[in-house]
Amino acid sequence: MSQAGLNLFIPIELLINSLSALNLSEKKLLWEILDQAIAEAEEENWEEDEATAREIQLVRDEYANGEYTTFEQYLSNQRK
C-alpha cells in the first residue's frame, strides 16, 4: 500500500490558537518535532550561509558547556 501526501494551507493564527487545545505531552511532542525541523533547516543552510554557521556553532558550544535551559525550567521561570 502506498502513502499519499496531503498539503494544506493553514493560517499561522489558527495554528497558534489551536495550541491551547493540546495537552502537555502533545505540546512537548510538537516542540520536539519543530526543534528537529528547525535543526534540519539550519543544517541545510550551514554551508551556504556563514552567519547561520556561526550562530549554530555558538549554540552548540553553549549546549556543550551546559549553558541551556530545559523546557521544564523555562516553564517554571514563567510561572514566577
Side-chain angles (χ1 to χ4, degrees), residues 12-31:
I12 191 73
E13 295 83 12
L14 180 59
L15 287 172
I16 292 169
N17 291 337
S18 298
L19 289 175
S20 63
L22 299 176
N23 65 40
L24 182 58
S25 63
E26 291 168 330
K27 288 176 182 176
K28 286 182 179 180
L29 176 60
L30 179 58
W31 177 53

Side-chain angles (χ1 to χ4, degrees), residues 3-73:
Q3 293 182 347
L6 176 64
N7 291 323
L8 296 174
F9 173 76
I10 301 173
I12 191 73
E13 295 83 12
L14 180 59
L15 287 172
I16 292 169
N17 291 337
S18 298
L19 289 175
S20 63
L22 299 176
N23 65 40
L24 182 58
S25 63
E26 291 168 330
K27 288 176 182 176
K28 286 182 179 180
L29 176 60
L30 179 58
W31 177 53
E32 291 172 11
I33 292 168
L34 289 172
D35 188 52
Q36 181 64 34
I38 291 168
E40 289 172 6
E42 288 176 337
E43 289 286 337
E44 290 173 7
N45 289 330
W46 183 306
E47 296 177 0
E48 299 172 11
D49 182 55
E50 290 183 30
T52 300
R54 284 191 303 273
E55 185 177 338
I56 291 171
Q57 190 57 52
L58 286 172
V59 170
R60 286 183 171 165
D61 292 345
E62 290 173 356
Y63 184 79
N65 293 327
E67 300 171 25
Y68 61 89
T69 301
T70 66
F71 189 64
E72 287 79 16
Q73 290 169 330

Side-chain angles (χ1 to χ4, degrees), residues 69-80:
T69 301
T70 66
F71 189 64
E72 287 79 16
Q73 290 169 330
Y74 172 79
L75 289 176
S76 176
N77 289 336
Q78 294 300 311
R79 293 183 190 127
K80 294 179 181 179

